Amino acid sequence: MASREQELSALPQASDPPRGRLSVLLGRLIRPYLHDEPHGPLPELLGRLIYPFLHGEPPKPQQPTGFYTDTTVCIGCKACEVACKQWNQLPSDGFNWSGNSYDNTNELSATTWRHVKFIEQFSHESPSVPASPDTEESESLLNRWLMMSDNCKHCVAAPCHQACPTGAIIQNEFQNIYIQADICNGCSCCIAACPFGVITRSELGGHSHKCTLCYDRQRDGLEPACAKACPTQSIHFGPIDELREQARKRVEQLHERGVPQAYLYGDVPGETYSEMHSFYLLVDRPSVYGLPDAPFNPWLHMMGDYVRSVAGGLAAIAVLLVVVFLLKP
Amino acid sequence: MHTDSRPQQASAEPLLPERGHEVGYENGPVTKVPGWHGLIAWDALLNGMATGLFLAAAVSELAAPAVFMRVAKVAYPVALVLLLVDLGLLVLDLGDPSRFHHMLRVFKPGSPMSLGTWCLTIFSLPLTAAAALSLLAELGWDFEWARLLAVVVGLLPGFASAAYKGVLLSTNAQPGWKDARWLGGYLTNSALVMGCGEFLVLSALMGQTQAIAILRTAFIVLLVLNVIPLGLLFANLRPIHAQLYTREQQWRVGALIAAGALIPLGLMLLKGSVLSISVAMIFLLFESWLVRAVYVKIPHTSPLEVRSGE
Ligand code: SF4
Ligand code: SF4
């Protein structure tokens, strides 16, 4: 992890404000300690102290990009999982027998940024031939696999981004949500905030990690490793508007072909959640895929919670003041 | 819809499925538990004790200096020690404690953790000044105007440091916390109740009879008032408690919390001696810790055995 962090920190970083003269000044002060071996504990300490306060110039905004994952064509080959691990140099999760179909990684984690889910929907009583989609019981009698390659949703108004107190989480120039590994201090606020259970704190180093939407590859004009490796084009990568257009056409096509359940999850903003830059074509309820049926952005409650919090404190102070004024000699 | 629940078997040496993983994804938890350990309950308690004591002492001293000044000069150093221990816990709970200063890299008022860290940092400065100047005054170097200035300056960040904690915990996607609309209201109110109690204990130990008489009355009213946000918080959390705990466990915790609230109240109504004040405070701290350990620690489950583990 350490070498990867150094690589990441060597990249020019997009950053939150403030930036400007102070950053330039700090940068000059610290440069010798960043690029040469620090000469002794004091310069190293100084370097560590000043480094997080350096803010680079943000790159120019680019066309927003994202993923559209069509789960109906996923064959569960896990090529995306492997490609993600290889490109991002993520360690293996061991050979675990999860007892949950062909799933051996179980969840997204600090070391698994793509996770292929396997859902077996088989009725013991039903014949092996799928029932006609017209019949009422069609859903309960379907004998089918559902497979879905899951990853960070790159939410447009991302709770993890809103929560992060260090500014480690940024929305980069492609409007993807990216964790600056050299800034994160492992406070876990993003983990608590993510409604999809995506981010995890690593045991190695104690920092949080998740899908970067292959920021490094995108900067070099390459598509993300998972999309590149996917043999069925279940994972599409590209400009987000084009992906939405493409996905809507596919839903219409599926409806015409007798799959009326097909719909898009996360392509447009809902009442309680923003649109996502990684959205999915699903054919069953979101919860069947382990996704929240109605994701909720916790920040919608924040102002009200502050009001109640302040009111609780002010009421107590008022009581104290009244009693003091009434009883003081 | 039926989901096949038969686990797959390997042919040669069958490996046993890992325990605790449901087949399918529908009934499993979606969110991940933040790695905050049990320290979060102690952090919430110490935060309330430190900020509450400072606020109770500052408000009382500014309203009636003649009555409260002597005790307040002891209260500020105590509040500082409590705050330092709390800050230590906050740093320890980070995944990478050596990067604690990254918290001050940006100021994001929209992030309760960022706002809270800034408030705690700013609050620590006037609190340190008030504590140091109070101690110096005891040694004969009296800078009264500077000490009072530090107390006044500390009021706003001190209050904000108490108020952010509950909002930090309720503004997230965790089961229980996300529904706890009154967590902030309860924690801030509870901080003041604890602070008033601590200030009362100090007054009793220092034999300040006028201060005891006033604070005892205020403490009684505050103990009653605190039942309101606690009840509202309890109502917020009933659904998650029903999932996590058996009915018997809920009753047991409820009875302990009620005892922790009623015993101090009864003691305060009966007597104002040093002993009864100290015992009342011990019960209050126990109740406050219990509420935090059961309610504030929900995603991690409480020290109680959870329903699924029975
Ligand atoms: S899915 Fe979770 S981790 Fe990904 S951007 Fe949204 S909130 Fe952040
Ligand atoms: S764990 Fe890291 S990325 Fe997550 S909120 Fe904290 S500092 Fe930000």
Side-chain angles (χ1 to χ4, degrees):
Chain A
M1 216 64 228
S3 67
R4 175 148 175 73
E5 278 186 23
Q6 275 162 18
E7 283 168 34
L8 283 172
S9 58
L11 282 172
Q13 306 275 344
S15 177
D16 288 346
R19 51 186 92 79
R21 270 202 199 147
L22 183 66
S23 273
V24 176
L25 236 153
L26 288 173
R28 273 203 206 120
L29 199 66
I30 198 184
R31 194 166 299 134
Y33 309 123
L34 281 182
H35 299 299
D36 305 331
E37 277 294 301
H39 314 287
L42 195 67
E44 187 176 339
L45 183 71
L46 195 70
R48 270 179 166 267
L49 282 177
I50 297 175
Y51 175 69
F53 297 95
L54 300 175
H55 294 268
E57 279 303 316
K60 284 202 185 73
Q62 305 285 326
Q63 200 173 23
T65 56
F67 285 130
Y68 147 50
T69 306
D70 179 353
T71 63
T72 60
V73 293
C74 175
I75 54 170
C77 68
K78 302 192 191 181
C80 52
E81 270 193 32
V82 175
C84 177
K85 286 221 179 237
Q86 278 192 330
W87 180 259
N88 293 300
Q89 300 178 5
L90 300 172
S92 143
D93 298 304
F95 295 99
N96 298 322
W97 185 257
S98 71
N100 186 10
S101 193
Y102 289 99
D103 191 346
N104 64 324
T105 46
N106 284 318
E107 58 187 0
L108 290 168
S109 71
T111 51
T112 299
W113 298 351
R114 269 268 172 204
H115 169 223
V116 181
K117 293 176 171 177
F118 294 81
I119 299 135
E120 298 179 29
Q121 293 183 326
F122 294 104
S123 167
H124 293 305
E125 304 86 39
S126 70
S128 55
V129 182
S132 147
D134 303 333
T135 62
E136 251 193 21
E137 292 161 306
S138 62
E139 218 192 6
S140 64
L141 291 181
L142 274 178
N143 280 318
R144 65 179 179 184
W145 287 89
L146 297 178
M147 280 162 268
M148 174 206 182
S149 178
D150 195 11
N151 72 315
C152 168
K153 317 298 176 282
H154 293 278
C155 316
V156 168
C160 62
H161 181 215
Q162 288 163 308
C164 181
T166 61
I169 300 187
I170 55 162
Q171 194 173 46
N172 65 22
E173 66 266 38
F174 303 104
Q175 284 194 24
N176 307 149
I177 299 296
Y178 177 75
I179 303 180
Q180 303 177 92
D182 56 329
I183 298 298
C184 170
N185 66 7
C187 74
S188 288
C189 290
C190 52
I191 302 170
C194 173
F196 301 95
V198 168
I199 306 187
T200 317
R201 196 160 84 178
S202 168
E203 299 290 316
L204 309 157
H207 311 135
S208 290
H209 301 278
K210 69 163 190 77
C211 159
T212 64
L213 227 153
C214 280
Y215 184 36
D216 47 352
R217 288 177 64 97
Q218 284 198 64
R219 287 172 66 94
D220 285 340
L222 299 170
E223 67 178 315
C226 53
K228 181 89 183 162
C230 179
T232 64
Q233 290 199 320
S234 172
I235 303 172
H236 298 258
F237 165 79
I240 196 72
D241 293 335
E242 286 173 26
L243 290 180
R244 287 191 190 119
E245 193 60 37
Q246 192 184 347
R248 275 166 210 153
K249 280 192 187 137
R250 170 72 176 153
V251 170
E252 278 169 24
Q253 190 188 52
L254 284 169
H255 287 177
E256 282 163 15
R257 287 188 189 172
V259 191
Q261 312 93 322
Y263 69 99
L264 296 177
Y265 181 84
D267 63 322
V268 287
E271 264 181 34
T272 55
Y273 211 79
S274 71
E275 67 269 44
M276 304 160 192
H277 278 187
S278 174
F279 63 95
Y280 300 83
L281 191 156
L282 306 177
V283 291
D284 208 328
R285 283 174 291 113
S287 55
V288 169
Y289 298 87
L291 298 168
D293 284 327
F296 189 93
N297 187 322
W299 266 253
L300 294 175
H301 281 316
M302 191 177 71
M303 279 324 286
D305 288 359
Y306 268 125
V307 169
R308 279 177 283 272
S309 196
V310 169
L314 285 183
I317 289 179
V319 164
L320 186 58
L321 273 176
V322 169
V323 174
V324 171
F325 278 119
L326 285 180
L327 299 186
K328 77 172 179 180
Chain B
M1 190 153 300
H2 185 91
T3 303
D4 194 340
S5 58
R6 287 167 300 179
Q8 316 292 305
Q9 292 296 324
S11 53
E13 252 188 49
L15 295 161
L16 287 176
E18 277 183 0
R19 293 190 57 145
H21 285 294
E22 292 263 344
V23 173
Y25 304 93
E26 190 150 20
N27 300 316
V30 178
T31 53
K32 293 249 163 54
V33 176
W36 285 332
H37 315 111
L39 290 183
I40 184 93
W42 289 103
D43 160 45
L45 186 75
L46 285 163
N47 173 288
M49 287 175 74
T51 54
L53 178 57
F54 171 80
L55 289 171
V59 167
S60 308
E61 187 192 5
L62 294 174
V67 183
F68 293 107
M69 189 188 288
R70 274 207 60 203
V71 199
K73 281 181 177 170
V74 178
Y76 302 135
V78 176
L80 179 63
V81 171
L82 290 168
L83 186 78
L84 289 176
V85 178
D86 181 37
L87 292 178
L89 291 186
L90 283 176
V91 171
L92 277 182
D93 231 5
L94 295 175
D96 186 350
S98 69
R99 292 188 181 179
F100 70 94
H101 59 296
H102 290 207
M103 286 290 191
L104 301 177
R105 181 180 169 267
V106 289
F107 174 60
K108 276 170 77 172
S111 157
M113 180 64 109
S114 176
L115 188 69
T117 315
W118 275 100
C119 287
L120 281 168
T121 309
I122 295 169
F123 172 52
S124 67
L125 303 175
L127 177 60
T128 306
L133 292 169
S134 298
L135 292 176
L136 281 179
E138 290 300 306
L139 299 173
W141 288 295
D142 213 344
F143 303 99
E144 193 51 20
W145 62 270
R147 195 184 65 79
L148 281 177
L149 183 69
V151 170
V152 173
V153 170
L155 278 174
L156 193 62
F159 186 82
S161 300
Y164 92 94
K165 187 64 79 183
V167 182
L168 166 73
L169 297 173
S170 62
T171 309
N172 66 46
Q174 299 295 312
W177 283 351
K178 71 178 163 58
D179 305 315
R181 298 281 65 81
W182 278 93
L183 187 54
Y186 166 76
L187 286 182
T188 318
N189 191 271
S190 158
L192 265 299
V193 182
M194 286 192 296
C196 183
E198 291 165 79
F199 200 40
L200 175 58
V201 171
L202 291 177
S203 309
L205 291 174
M206 293 172 69
Q208 300 287 303
T209 43
Q210 274 185 348
I212 295 172
I214 297 173
L215 289 173
R216 188 176 154 210
T217 310
F219 191 40
I220 289 169
V221 183
L222 286 176
L223 281 170
V224 176
L225 181 74
N226 189 236
V227 175
I228 299 171
L230 180 61
L232 291 166
L233 176 63
F234 186 77
N236 289 160
L237 294 174
R238 270 198 72 151
I240 188 76
H241 283 172
Q243 284 173 32
L244 281 176
Y245 309 127
T246 61
R247 197 170 273 270
E248 197 196 321
Q249 287 170 338
Q250 289 178 61
W251 274 109
R252 238 187 294 158
V253 179
L256 282 173
I257 290 172
L262 289 175
I263 292 173
L265 189 62
L267 283 169
M268 283 300 87
L269 286 170
L270 282 176
K271 239 174 151 191
S273 68
V274 181
L275 184 67
S276 63
I277 289 171
S278 306
V279 174
M281 194 56 206
I282 289 169
F283 272 98
L284 177 71
L285 287 180
F286 168 72
E287 182 239 18
S288 306
W289 180 83
L290 195 62
V291 173
R292 284 157 179 79
V294 176
Y295 293 171
V296 174
K297 262 183 69 183
I298 286 171
H300 313 261
T301 72
S302 81
L304 299 169
E305 192 182 20
V306 294
R307 187 181 269 279
S308 59
E310 281 183 310

